Amino acid sequence: MHLIDRIGPILGSVKLIDRYGPIVGIVAFVGLAVLAFLLFQEAREVRRLREWAGRAPERAAEAAEAQLAASEAREEAVSGPPPTRWQRLRARLGAWRGRIAGSFGSAWQELDRRSPVDPRIVLAAIVALALAAAVVLTSGFGLIGSGGGGKTQAARPPSSIKVAVLNGTQENGVQAVAGLASAVAHKVVKPAGYRAGPVTNAPGSFATTVVMFKPGHGGDAKALATAVQPKLGKTPTQSMTGSTQSVAGKAKLALVIGLDDSRFAQSSG
């Protein structure tokens, strides 16, 4: 009986712990969370106070400069001539700049006070992300060649480029000049070091000769236009149209002979 009498209170204590133990644990967890938050806030305030104390010499210098400027302004107001229009404009600009700087400074201080992280780090990260996005969207601000049509890429060796020579001299039901594409391929394209691709008629009529290129071959097109200039004159370049691609096949460039060079076969003899 004595043993049972002793065990009874112990069992009662165990039941009490089982009943209220989870509540005590939750309260303890909340207390620890509040304590951690307060320690975090205190660390931030200590950092802010240290920065504020470290700027004491700067504030003293700024106050001295402000007093000197105010003194000079009073002296000029008493003895000096009235300010000119330019001086008034400068004063207004200075006051406007001071108001903006004050507003921005107070906002920055408030952000620095509330932010758990130094706002300068966040600002630097945002600028870095914006710069990276700009580099990607603009292909390195135009310094990196892209696969688009209008950008200039480095020209490849002529021997590695296949050029389709297309005769675009047909018009209004009149057939294209016979043998023109073949003459240009043998007397212009191949002597320049390029490999001739399809030699046939263009899908339509062209008023002037043009070098067309597939995406990523803008630089090659300009190099070909320069190579054919001594015999065909100055030749523009442009992106290859869908109808021209169907005729050019696997050739990356297409030299389309226009009506302005329709007499090339006769003149070259």
Side-chain angles (χ1 to χ4, degrees), residues 171-263:
E171 61 173 343
N172 297 330
V174 180
Q175 293 184 353
V177 177
L180 179 59
S182 179
V184 172
H186 287 85
K187 297 180 181 180
V188 179
V189 175
K190 289 184 178 180
Y194 292 88
R195 293 185 295 137
V199 179
T200 183
N201 288 334
S205 177
F206 287 78
T208 58
T209 300
V210 62
V211 175
M212 292 188 174
F213 58 91
K214 290 183 178 180
H217 293 272
D220 300 323
K222 292 184 181 296
L224 176 61
T226 302
V228 304
Q229 183 173 352
K231 296 182 179 180
L232 298 180
K234 189 174 182 180
T235 305
T237 62
Q238 69 177 60
S239 298
M240 193 178 297
T241 59
S243 57
T244 304
Q245 287 187 19
S246 62
V247 179
K250 296 182 179 180
K252 304 302 181 183
L253 303 178
L255 178 59
V256 185
I257 311 303
L259 294 170
D260 57 338
D261 288 317
S262 59
R263 298 181 179 275

Side-chain angles (χ1 to χ4, degrees), residues 33-255:
V34 172
L35 180 60
F37 177 76
L38 293 176
L39 290 175
F40 185 77
Q41 289 290 101
E42 182 181 1
R44 187 174 61 184
E45 291 297 327
V46 169
R47 180 177 68 87
R48 186 174 64 84
L49 290 174
R50 286 178 178 175
E51 293 180 354
W52 180 83
R55 291 196 298 267
E58 298 178 0
R59 292 196 301 273
E62 292 176 356
E65 292 179 358
Q67 291 179 357
L68 181 60
S71 177
E72 292 177 353
R74 286 195 297 270
E75 291 178 359
E76 291 179 358
V78 172
S79 60
T84 63
R85 180 179 300 178
W86 174 247
Q87 290 175 341
R88 291 196 299 269
L89 178 61
R90 288 183 60 185
R92 291 176 182 175
L93 290 176
W96 178 71
R97 183 176 58 185
R99 287 194 296 270
I100 293 179
S103 301
F104 180 77
S106 60
W108 180 266
Q109 291 176 358
E110 181 66 17
L111 177 63
D112 183 51
R113 187 179 67 83
R114 292 178 176 273
S115 176
V117 183
D118 193 339
R120 289 173 293 185
I121 299 177
V122 179
L123 182 61
I126 294 174
V127 172
L129 290 175
L131 182 61
V135 170
V136 172
L137 294 176
T138 61
S139 296
F141 301 104
L143 300 177
I144 303 174
S146 67
K151 302 280 176 69
T152 301
Q153 302 87 21
R156 298 165 179 81
S159 59
S160 65
I161 301 297
K162 184 178 289 187
V163 180
V165 184
L166 308 179
N167 187 347
T169 58
Q170 65 271 23
E171 61 173 343
N172 297 330
V174 180
Q175 293 184 353
V177 177
L180 179 59
S182 179
V184 172
H186 287 85
K187 297 180 181 180
V188 179
V189 175
K190 289 184 178 180
Y194 292 88
R195 293 185 295 137
V199 179
T200 183
N201 288 334
S205 177
F206 287 78
T208 58
T209 300
V210 62
V211 175
M212 292 188 174
F213 58 91
K214 290 183 178 180
H217 293 272
D220 300 323
K222 292 184 181 296
L224 176 61
T226 302
V228 304
Q229 183 173 352
K231 296 182 179 180
L232 298 180
K234 189 174 182 180
T235 305
T237 62
Q238 69 177 60
S239 298
M240 193 178 297
T241 59
S243 57
T244 304
Q245 287 187 19
S246 62
V247 179
K250 296 182 179 180
K252 304 302 181 183
L253 303 178
L255 178 59

